[in-house]
Amino acid sequence: MPAESAKGRLSSVLRRMLMRRATVSSCEPISACFRLITLEGPALRGVAWVPGQKLQIAMAEPFATRTYTPIEWDASDGRTRILCYVHARGPGGAWVRDVKPGDECDVFGPRGSIDLRATSGPLAIFGDETSIGLAYALSAQYPTRSAALYFELEDMKAGSYVLKHLGLWRATLFEKHMDGAHAEQMEAALPSLAAGGAAFVFAGKAGTVQRLRQSVKLLDVTTPRITTKAYWAPGKVGLD
Ligand SMILES: Cc1cc2nc3c(=O)[nH]c(=O)nc-3n(C[C@H](O)[C@H](O)[C@H](O)COP(=O)(O)OP(=O)(O)OC[C@H]3O[C@@H](n4cnc5c(N)ncnc54)[C@H](O)[C@@H]3O)c2cc1C
């Protein structure tokens, strides 16, 4: 048996054993760069989901998955939604762009990623296009905690449109600059949030996550108040 097809068979056996089968029931384009994708199926019923968790979706290539964040999960009907950024550089971007209602996919999870259940006080969530879904899920989970949202964006118009579409009206947006000048502006928001006792979440582009984490540590914010997760990094593939 050729090595490639043996690999493909092993991958599909493992998929059947470990993953949940889901059907894409809707793909809603929201501006040119985002798609809100609904996945449904009996295997998604009865799932214990915590907002902030991740879902890994199997790609066509054996053993390859790409990771997204459920924005909600209806465990009785077996339905979840993910907000995907279409950046068109890898298999995940291509799947997001091309998938259509009726397509099937295999998903692994939901599994732990960001978990704010042990935190209290106001929330300060910093991210980019890939973490807008996370901000939505966390804001919905904690309606009584104020949530200050900050996003670095490549396309301000598209980002602002999707945020409004999701009802996240009060986010502060920063246009991405190659020289990172916008990250300095993001850092400027940290001291007053730290003084107000915020629980910080940094998720999205690895370099920004790392930079903001270092800056907030200098403000004597203790580790339990800081949650970080790099969602992607330039030149890295399928970061998880
Ligand atoms: C826990 C977790 C949760 C996530 N949740 C979401 C989510 O809800 N929605 C979402 O859209 N994404 C989310 N992501 C990010 C997403 O998994 C990555 O963007 C992923 O790399 C996309 O896969 P790809 O095959 O398109 O690109 P890859 O094959 O993984 O990467 C190819 C190249 O594309 C570039 N690249 C990757 N991502 C981006 C990007 N966002 N912007 C610009 N360039 C990029 C990099 O240079 C990389 O080398 C999440 C990631 C993690 C780890």
Side-chain angles (χ1 to χ4, degrees):
M1 187 186 303
E4 268 317 304
S5 91
K7 200 174 160 194
R9 274 173 184 233
L10 180 60
S11 168
S12 43
V13 169
L14 287 174
R15 273 187 194 193
R16 276 200 301 277
M17 284 169 59
L18 302 173
M19 300 185 112
R20 302 172 196 275
R21 178 50 63 102
T23 303
V24 175
S25 59
S26 125
C27 306
E28 188 188 344
I30 309 181
S31 79
C33 334
F34 292 91
R35 293 190 97 192
L36 193 52
I37 296 177
T38 307
L39 305 174
E40 289 190 16
L44 304 190
R45 288 189 197 133
V47 167
W49 167 69
V50 178
Q53 286 185 328
K54 65 185 177 184
L55 192 68
Q56 288 162 287
I57 300 177
M59 301 286 112
E61 189 189 319
F63 301 110
T65 59
R66 289 296 182 268
T67 308
Y68 296 91
T69 306
I71 68 166
E72 59 198 13
W73 200 297
D74 181 334
S76 51
D77 283 352
R79 184 184 315 114
T80 187
R81 290 199 297 168
I82 50 177
L83 178 72
C84 305
Y85 178 50
V86 192
H87 64 84
R89 281 174 204 138
W95 181 82
V96 166
R97 191 189 56 234
D98 298 337
V99 75
K100 53 188 187 316
D103 286 354
E104 293 198 315
C105 63
D106 294 307
V107 302
F108 189 44
R111 294 200 303 138
S113 179
I114 285 175
D115 188 346
L116 296 188
R117 286 175 294 175
T119 69
S120 58
L123 295 171
I125 303 172
F126 288 74
D128 66 2
E129 292 87 353
T130 61
S131 19
I132 293 176
L134 171 76
Y136 177 91
L138 295 177
S139 306
Q141 184 191 18
Y142 298 109
T144 56
R145 291 169 78 173
S146 69
L149 310 179
Y150 301 84
F151 297 102
E152 55 171 342
L153 299 171
E154 274 184 33
D155 182 334
M156 297 287 276
K157 202 169 152 206
S160 141
Y161 186 85
V162 76
L163 283 157
K164 284 184 184 134
H165 184 88
L166 292 174
L168 300 174
W169 290 91
R170 298 183 59 188
T172 306
L173 309 184
F174 303 88
E175 188 167 10
K176 269 185 197 166
H177 292 286
M178 292 296 280
D179 62 4
H182 65 285
E184 230 168 89
Q185 295 165 16
M186 294 174 93
E187 281 173 321
L190 297 174
S192 62
L193 294 164
F200 289 90
V201 178
F202 303 123
K205 188 178 178 188
T208 309
V209 168
Q210 193 183 18
R211 178 171 175 166
L212 293 175
R213 185 176 184 280
Q214 280 166 358
S215 304
V216 88
K217 291 284 260 178
L218 294 174
L219 298 169
D220 291 332
V221 176
T222 54
T223 309
R225 280 174 57 200
I226 308 170
T227 305
T228 63
K229 180 76 189 166
Y231 277 6
W232 68 278
K236 296 260 171 50
V237 165
L239 200 67
D240 193 12

